[in-house]
Amino acid sequence: MKQLQDVYVVAATRTPIGKAPKGALRQMRPDDLLVHAIAHAMKQVPSLDPAAVEDAIIGCAMPEAEQGLNVARIAVLLAGLPCTTGGVTVNRFCASGITAVQMAADRIRCGQAEVMLAGGTESMSLVPMGGVKPSFNPHIFDRDENVGIAYGMGMTAEKVAAQWKVSREEQDQFALRSHQKAIAAQQAGEFNDEIVPIDVVSKVANLSSGEVEVKTRSMKLDEGPRADTTLEALARLKPVFAARGSVTAGNSSQTSDGAGALLLCSEQALKQFSLEPLARFLSFAVKGVPPEIMGIGPKEAIPLALRLAGIRQDDLDWIELNEAFAAQSLAVIKDLGLDPAKVNPMGGAIALGHPLGATGAIRAATVVHALRRRKLKYGMVTMCVGTGMGAAGVFESV
């Protein structure tokens, strides 16, 4: 039996995250966002022969319209990779991006590929959550345990808040801290290693001259973090999913636009192309939970991912726990006893945004560069997933 190979990350980059539906990236196609991320990932490894990239696995939670038609293959070609590089789009909702990394890594680990591209893209400005034409199978209502499939994500967060006794005050405090950490990280330049600036072009009609004025600006940072957020302002927001609930727009993740891309390779490819590894991809796990409390999913996936990586929870130095909602993030932290100081040290999706299928790849870029920059050893990317799942991937700095 052939021995499994180690898998290394040699490039990891992402676009800035735009606010949907009125942010700077609202009119930018998600395939163009992905092209931008892929092209710059390739620029990070100039010694790599593009023809060596065997396949691209790209996550997208709502793969239709501007991000349909196998967006992975289209983006590969538009990014300038040779036609010999394949492309496939995968969907595990919010875990699509990290699942793409896992699938690419498995190809290498099994010796079926030496160099793979993984990533994710999503425009929530152009393609709404649920897609253009959502259509639930009516049989989900035949059994009580399946009704949760039809729940809005906000209602699942309310159920988690109630079951795990997470108060409104705790949620708002968590949300405020997310913004504070994100602003501090932006001001310290801690996102510079992972973000590739993108030119945003706007066209405005000048009614006086009858001409169209074209303006271009470079977008270098995520749009979501707010320096003016206060606990008082968050407390004034009304619940949006249940009349007497505690989940608000302020303690929920932001709808967003963005893309991320990573290049993974084997040790043989490292030597062949003189590549410097950023990290090693150690393990991935996914576990199911009841759909109506989907937000608790990471508490089931994290222990399994750690066991597969051969490390303990205390060994983790950095945890990117996607903040779909403050309620579910706090429930996971409390249930597993995660060290809050290690969770989202640079803020999370409440401040930075959550472009669904792209988030796993984006947060993978964050953890890979953060481990290297701060000279830390082990990092994790984890998130809850719609219809009741949790996913987690473990990285090791090298």
Side-chain angles (χ1 to χ4, degrees), residues 27-379:
Q27 294 178 332
M28 189 163 289
R29 292 180 59 100
D31 44 9
D32 285 337
L33 292 173
L34 181 58
V35 166
H36 188 72
I38 292 173
H40 285 274
M42 294 301 298
K43 287 182 180 179
Q44 292 180 2
V45 284
S47 63
L48 176 66
D49 181 359
V53 182
E54 298 191 32
D55 202 0
I57 303 178
I58 301 299
C60 183
M62 305 297 156
E64 58 178 281
E66 289 90 347
Q67 54 201 32
L69 302 174
N70 192 3
V71 67
R73 171 63 174 173
I74 293 169
V76 160
L77 297 175
L78 294 180
L81 271 73
C83 63
T84 52
T85 302
V88 61
T89 306
V90 300
N91 179 10
R92 201 195 295 273
F93 292 152
C94 298
S96 298
I98 192 65
T99 297
V101 174
Q102 166 254 318
M103 293 174 70
D106 284 352
R107 288 279 303 281
I108 296 169
R109 189 176 283 124
C110 295
Q112 296 181 352
E114 301 298 330
V115 183
M116 293 285 293
L117 177 66
T121 190
E122 199 87 33
S123 172
M124 299 181 75
S125 293
L126 296 177
V127 183
M129 184 151 45
V132 176
K133 186 187 175 183
S135 178
F136 287 104
N137 189 316
H139 289 296
I140 66 175
F141 301 104
D142 293 348
R143 299 170 60 186
D144 289 345
E145 58 266 36
N146 289 334
V147 173
I149 294 172
Y151 283 11
M153 296 297 97
M155 281 306 302
T156 69
E158 289 285 7
K159 288 189 172 294
V160 169
Q163 188 169 332
W164 273 265
K165 295 179 171 57
V166 182
S167 70
R168 167 70 184 268
E169 291 72 21
E170 288 178 294
Q171 294 175 56
D172 287 349
Q173 285 276 7
F174 185 86
L176 175 63
R177 187 68 185 127
S178 183
H179 283 279
Q180 291 173 335
K181 290 187 290 186
I183 290 294
Q186 286 185 336
Q187 292 174 344
E190 292 209 74
F191 291 107
N192 294 350
D193 291 336
E194 63 189 77
I195 292 180
V196 176
I198 191 165
D199 287 339
V200 178
V201 179
S202 60
K203 298 179 180 180
V204 181
N206 187 321
L207 300 181
S208 299
S209 65
E211 297 179 345
V212 175
E213 297 178 353
V214 179
K215 297 181 179 180
T216 301
R217 69 177 180 88
S218 179
M219 182 180 175
K220 300 179 180 180
L221 294 173
D222 301 322
E223 287 187 311
R226 294 184 55 172
D228 61 349
T229 300
T230 65
L231 200 57
E232 293 73 22
L234 290 168
R236 286 194 294 268
L237 297 174
K238 295 181 179 180
V240 291
F241 302 106
R244 295 180 177 84
S246 59
V247 180
T248 71
N251 56 41
S252 305
S253 58
Q254 300 183 32
T255 55
S256 312
D257 310 321
L262 295 86
L263 279 163
L264 298 92
C265 72
S266 65
E267 186 171 356
Q268 176 182 318
L270 284 181
K271 296 175 181 177
Q272 180 180 354
F273 298 107
S274 301
L275 301 172
E276 181 180 359
L278 301 176
R280 183 184 290 114
F281 185 71
L282 293 185
S283 71
F284 173 84
V286 61
K287 296 288 288 183
V289 297
E292 66 271 18
I293 52 169
M294 69 92 199
I296 206 66
K299 93 177 186 71
E300 303 296 335
I302 288 173
L304 178 55
L306 291 171
R307 187 160 65 250
L308 292 172
I311 64 174
R312 301 168 303 165
Q313 184 170 294
D314 289 345
D315 293 326
L316 288 172
D317 300 300
W318 192 287
I319 304 168
E320 285 294 321
L321 170 61
N322 186 46
E323 298 169 357
F325 301 92
Q328 59 82 210
S329 297
L330 286 164
V332 170
I333 291 169
K334 290 179 178 182
D335 200 288
L336 290 179
L338 299 178
D339 183 349
K342 295 179 179 180
V343 176
N344 303 344
M346 290 156 50
I350 290 173
L352 298 170
H354 176 25
L356 299 182
T359 295
I362 288 171
R363 296 281 73 92
T366 298
V367 77
V368 163
H369 287 291
L371 292 178
R372 190 174 180 83
R373 185 172 59 253
R374 297 198 184 186
K375 296 179 171 58
L376 302 174
K377 187 68 172 174
Y378 295 110

